[in-house]
């Protein structure tokens, strides 16, 4: 059958299906009833020659066919409640606050630990639409999503995204890595990510001034760098070593100073970010001595706040050191740097970040976007090209040399579209390249 006739047939069949089935389906108002699925950790043997990535995220579906045999282990982070703080920091004399902080840094933080297994909370709407799933996925394979009837698209959109109650972010990220790096294996760690709608309330000016004063104190800085590793850090390092992890994806992060200034104006966010970032850089160097042999290269998303981040005063992830463990990934679209992506000197590389093909729970295709999609795509390119061996510094430099092409240099480095597998990118009018 010719391609054009097959495309027309798919659209016609989908339209007929909608016309016949829509009256029988319940209206998909709201997020749907909650379905809870629990997964045990597979605990598969670590491969000798395949690259392994740790994915830290939330909303993993380990029953997804696209991840079958790819996940070696699955854990979740379990933390004890934060102890209440009283009295407010700004009301505490500096000497007393300093003594308390020094005492805290001398103790091992036991609050968080890794626990095998994880739980997925998803919408019951995904079960309601199982009979139509193949047609929906066929529309993705033929790049006909933009031609589907509005009613059909709205129904699936409600089922897959709801009103934000359920998140499948980790499933999207893991499925991108699995598709773009076919030989890669994964270890997943589920944690609760702070969403944009759940940002912490604004601190007082006195509290921020006190934090800045404390972190600038040389005794505090020395104690912070010398503090023992937390239980969580030690268990995460042990997990990575057990499974031969040499890559990590972190498609989450903190808001840049520009966002915090907008949300909480009149506060010294730039000064706060600057002192915290510089101290964190020093602590990273001290951490290397505590965890010798850590060669994990971390790919992290730059964020979607449309902010320019050039220095440590702009974002907590700005660490201008060539030998660091991180690559910060922004997003580009067919026109250049994506309008939503953070950009600037603190972004190392831009990768495709619109209309990236991913999988949702229960085997539904979805389009995923943002720097959260660009980061795992960039990491997958590194995994399939450089494999599991070599120091993180060598792999980082090799990645920038091979994939970080400047076009033009003023816009920063871009992963060339020609080197990205077409199987993970949707075509026009929403994506890249020529229609299939």
């Amino acid at each position: 059958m010719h391609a054009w006739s097959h495309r027309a047939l798919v659209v016609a069949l989908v339209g007929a299906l909608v016309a016949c089935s829509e009256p029988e389906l319940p209206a998909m108002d709201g997020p749907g009833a909650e379905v809870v699925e629990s997964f045990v950790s597979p605990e598969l043997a670590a491969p000798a020659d395949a690259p392994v990535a740790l994915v830290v995220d939330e909303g993993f579906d380990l029953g997804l066919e696209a991840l079958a045999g790819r996940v070696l282990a699955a854990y979740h982070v379990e933390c004890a409640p934060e102890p209440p703080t009283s009295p407010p920091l700004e009301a505490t004399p500096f000497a007393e606050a300093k003594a308390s902080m020094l005492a805290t840094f001398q103790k091992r933080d036991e609050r968080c630990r890794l626990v095998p297994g994880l739980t997925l909370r998803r919408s019951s709407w995904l079960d309601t639409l199982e009979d139509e799933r193949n047609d929906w996925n066929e529309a993705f394979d033929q790049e006909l999503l933009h031609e589907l009837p509005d009613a059909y698209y709205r129904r699936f959109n409600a089922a897959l995204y709801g009103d934000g109650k359920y998140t499948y972010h980790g499933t999207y990220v893991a499925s991108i890595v699995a598709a773009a790096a076919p030989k890669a294996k994964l270890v997943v760690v589920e944690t609760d990510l702070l969403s944009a709608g759940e940002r912490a309330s604004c601190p007082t000016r006195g509290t921020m001034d006190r934090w800045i004063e404390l972190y600038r104190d040389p005794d505090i800085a020395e104690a912070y760098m010398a503090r023992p590793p937390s239980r969580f850090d030690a268990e995460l390092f042990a997990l990575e070593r057990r499974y031969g992890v040499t890559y990590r994806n972190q498609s989450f992060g903190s808001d840049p100073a520009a966002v915090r200034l907008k949300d909480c104006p009149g506060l010294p966010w730039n000064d706060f970010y600057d002192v915290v970032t510089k101290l964190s850089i020093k602590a990273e160097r001290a951490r290397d001595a505590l965890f010798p042999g850590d060669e994990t290269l971390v790919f992290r998303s730059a964020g979607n706040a449309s902010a320019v981040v050039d220095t440590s005063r702009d974002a907590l992830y700005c660490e201008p050191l060539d030998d660091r463990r991180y690559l910060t990934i922004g997003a580009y679209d067919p026109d250049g740097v994506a309008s939503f992506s953070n950009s600037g000197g603190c972004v190392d590389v831009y990768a495709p970040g619109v209309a990236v093909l991913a999988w949702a729970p229960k085997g539904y295709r979805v389009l995923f976007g943002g720097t959260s999609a660009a980061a795992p795509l960039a990491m997958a390119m590194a995994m399939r090209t450089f494999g599991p061996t070599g120091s993180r510094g060598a792999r980082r430099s090799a990645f920038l040399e091979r994939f970080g092409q400047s076009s033009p240099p003023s816009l920063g480095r871009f992963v060339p579209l020609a080197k990205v597998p077409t199987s993970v990118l949707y075509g026009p009018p929403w994506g890249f390249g020529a229609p299939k």
Side-chain angles (χ1 to χ4, degrees), residues 30-36 122-125 165-166:
E34 181 175 275
V35 177
V36 179
R122 64 171 180 82
S123 172
S124 60
W125 295 139
K165 178 180 178 180
Y166 307 109

Side-chain angles (χ1 to χ4, degrees), residues 14-86:
V14 168
L17 180 62
V18 171
C20 293
S21 62
E22 188 169 15
E24 302 174 9
L25 290 175
M28 292 188 173
D29 297 326
E34 181 175 275
V35 177
V36 179
E37 296 185 36
S38 297
F39 300 98
V40 298
S41 180
E43 303 296 334
L44 302 178
D49 55 353
V52 182
L54 182 83
V55 177
V56 183
D57 218 300
E58 64 179 340
F60 294 101
D61 179 9
L62 297 191
L64 192 68
E65 184 177 349
L67 298 179
R70 307 295 294 277
V71 178
L72 303 178
Y75 285 69
H76 69 275
V77 181
E78 185 178 272
C79 295
E82 287 271 12
T85 56
S86 180

Side-chain angles (χ1 to χ4, degrees), residues 31-32 40 48 50 80 100 105 108 178 188 267 285 310 327 362 366 388 405 412:
V40 298
S100 176
F105 289 157
R108 173 181 161 110
V188 301
L267 296 177
R285 301 298 163 263
D310 283 324
L327 279 165
K362 301 292 289 183
V366 292
Q405 296 184 0

